Every structure is written in C-alpha cells, then in structure tokens.
Amino acid sequence: MRTVAALIYDDMRAFDYAVMAEVWGMDRADGGVPAFELRRCSVDGRPVRMHPGARVEATHGLDGLAGADLVVAPGREDPSAPVPAAIIEALRAAHAGGGTIASLCSGAFVLAAAGILEGRRAVTHWLLTERLARDHPGVTVVPDVLFMEDGGVWTAAGTAGGVDLCLELVRRAHGAAVANTIARRMVTAAHRDGGQAQFVERPVPQMAGGRSAVTATLEWARGHLSLPLTVTDLARHARSAPRTFARDFVSQTGATPAQWLIRQRVTEAQRLLETTDLSIEQVATRCGFGTATMLRRHFARILGTTPTRYRHTFAHT
C-alpha cells in the first residue's frame, strides 16, 4: 500500500485531512518508513475549503483515485450535505477497481451516499450513529468500536479514531515496526483497545500527581508483559480492590484487563518477530504467553495468521 488517494472536498474536517497528511504525506525514510505517494484528489483538481478556516490545494482531479492502493474519505462538517455526483461516480469506480476504501469520522456518510456501505457494517462518530442509521437504513451501524472493516471497506469513529484506523492500515500493509515508527513520530499510541464508550465523561480515580491509577498501571504493565500478570496484580499496583479496578479499567479503556493484556502481548510479539531472531517459543515467553501454543492461538484469533507466516512477511521491515 504505497499510493494513497485522499478524497478532498469543501467543508471537510481539517483534522481528518491532517491525519492523512501526517501518516502518508511525511518523509520518514530515516526511520525505515517506506515512501508513500499521497494524492490530494478533488473535483476538477480545484482547491478546497476545510473546516475550520483553512484551504488545501489539490494535486489531482478525481481521476487520481484510479489505480490508488487506498482511497480515504475524510469527514465533513455537515455529514448529511449532498455529495457531488462526480465524487460518487469516482468512488464507485475506485471500489469496483479493487482498491481499499476507507472513511474517517463522518466520511462514512460519503461512502454511504455512494452505496459502498450498503449491506455492510460501519462506524462513525458516536454522536452521528443514529443519523447514519436513519439516513442510510441499508447500513448496519456499529455504535461502539474505534474502527472496523467489512469486505475491504474500512470506517473509523470520530476524530482520533481516524488516527487508529490509519495506523492499522499501515500495520496491515507494512508491519508493526513501520506503524510503530509513525506512531512514535506522531507521539500517539500505536494501538488503542476498546470502543468509543471509553470517551464518555465520567469520574476518573486519580493517583498522586494527577495521573489516573489505570493509566499508571497500563504503563507499568507494558514494561512487565513477560510476567504472568493477573487482575489482582494490576489492582495491587493501582492500590485498588480487584473488582473496583476491573470496573474502572473497562470504563476508561473499553476493554477488560484480560483483553487488554492479550492485545499488548500480541503487539509485543509482532515487534519481536519483526526485529529479532528469537524462536517462537522464546517470543512466547518474552510476551507472557508462556508457550508457543498459546501464542499461536491468540495470534490466529487476533491477526488471522501464524507467528511464522507473520515473520516471513514482515521481518524484512
């Protein structure tokens, strides 16, 4: 996935465009990141107005979508505004041509208007889920995930959910090491667990210094994944009762402690498989799975492949 077509149009959200530009428009060859071609595609190649108060020049007309490995539709300030016929036609052609199609935030409405989400599951900003379901009844709207894929079409939740999706697309195409390098340069997490429910405002227990007890424990746990950590261990570090800690953990991350630990261990396994010559058994031990059998089981469930195949595909990165 080297050629990315950013579909740009008037009133698109400036943040969504900035995410695409930051992930695929920056030269990070010094960090081992491959070169990407980011096409900025608009109707007739015209400049477009972004919301709020910015302007971006196009590099291509809508013909730039043809042949792109990935086409991304950003959100718009008015999600229900009519979509120009030329954009609908270009999106349908790109989809029919086999390219991967994605949307950020309310960009799901653009894909839905083109019929690309018909009969598929999709996500958008939690404030817009009911409207998407009402405006496009043929779309199955999933209210509580950060991003998702259905039949080669990807959609992301609001704002920062677009960061999660873009990094996941990089990870799928180029491996965890490349995605992690981009995430570090952006000073963001390479992977966030849970769904949009974690962003509903609610009281958060604080530790000395103002940090969340859960946040501090997450940082500690990431550095001790080789240990057989339990909810009791995490709760003890957070100076909380296990049941209270588990409840706070879910409310703040959208995942249970066990789910979060497994995902972190799989992510660490990806890094080790890409960057070391450790055996599968050694990787399993380093990540806290204990045995190669457990590593393979969770690897297959989460990534849909085996550790050996993953290493063969991504070790060169």
Side-chain angles (χ1 to χ4, degrees):
M1 186 178 289
R2 299 296 183 91
T3 304
V4 179
L7 181 59
I8 61 175
Y9 27 68
D10 285 335
D11 216 26
M12 71 177 179
R13 300 300 300 267
F15 184 92
D16 290 358
Y17 171 73
V19 170
M20 295 186 287
E22 186 71 24
V23 173
W24 290 294
M26 305 289 287
D27 181 359
R28 296 192 173 96
D30 62 327
V33 176
F36 299 112
E37 178 191 358
L38 180 63
R39 302 174 180 175
R40 301 189 297 273
C41 306
S42 70
V43 176
D44 297 329
R46 296 195 300 260
V48 302
R49 302 184 310 276
M50 294 190 293
H51 179 87
R55 174 187 170 99
V56 64
E57 300 288 334
T59 59
H60 294 72
L62 294 178
D63 57 344
L65 274 61
D69 301 317
L70 170 68
V71 175
V72 187
R76 300 183 297 168
E77 179 62 14
D78 181 2
S80 299
V83 179
I87 289 178
I88 290 177
E89 182 180 350
L91 273 173
R92 289 174 175 170
H95 185 230
T100 299
I101 309 295
S103 67
L104 309 182
C105 195
S106 61
F109 286 77
V110 177
L111 300 191
I116 293 174
L117 296 183
E118 191 71 17
R120 301 182 190 275
R121 297 177 302 148
V123 63
T124 187
H125 193 289
W126 60 271
L127 283 172
L128 300 173
T129 54
E130 292 184 4
R131 189 193 302 189
L132 181 60
R134 182 186 68 241
D135 290 356
H136 301 280
V139 180
T140 300
V141 182
V142 181
D144 186 28
V145 294
L146 294 173
F147 60 85
M148 67 183 309
E149 180 266 345
D150 190 340
V153 179
W154 294 78
T155 51
T159 316
V163 178
D164 298 304
L165 171 57
C166 292
L167 291 174
E168 179 65 17
L169 290 170
V170 171
R171 182 181 295 104
R172 294 291 182 101
H174 303 286
V178 171
N180 290 346
T181 296
I182 295 174
R184 284 194 296 270
R185 297 291 179 89
M186 294 174 66
V187 196
T188 189
H191 177 86
R192 291 190 299 163
D193 294 276
Q196 297 190 71
Q198 64 188 289
F199 303 106
V200 176
E201 293 185 2
R202 51 173 63 85
V204 176
Q206 299 290 313
M207 294 183 72
R211 288 195 305 168
S212 158
V214 169
T215 299
T217 299
L218 297 185
E219 295 171 2
W220 172 80
R222 286 192 185 99
H224 297 82
L225 291 175
S226 61
L227 300 178
L229 298 174
T230 65
V231 175
T232 300
D233 296 324
L234 300 180
R236 184 181 300 114
H237 181 272
R239 299 179 183 178
S240 175
R243 290 181 64 179
T244 301
F245 175 80
R247 183 177 63 249
D248 292 340
F249 193 99
V250 171
S251 70
Q252 292 177 53
T253 70
T256 68
Q259 290 168 338
W260 182 87
L261 277 171
I262 288 171
R263 181 70 219 204
Q264 296 302 309
R265 285 174 168 147
V266 168
T267 299
E268 176 63 6
Q270 290 177 271
R271 186 188 71 81
L272 293 174
L273 290 167
E274 291 181 24
T275 61
T276 75
D277 293 324
L278 294 173
S279 68
I280 302 301
E281 289 75 13
Q282 289 172 318
V283 170
T285 299
R286 292 276 190 98
C287 297
F289 283 122
T291 67
T293 299
M294 290 300 293
L295 170 60
R296 292 188 182 98
R297 179 181 302 170
H298 291 297
F299 221 79
R301 180 176 61 83
I302 293 175
L303 299 178
T305 188
T306 67
T308 300
R309 290 197 187 102
Y310 184 88
R311 171 173 271 168
H312 178 75
T313 302
F314 293 117
H316 67 280
T317 63

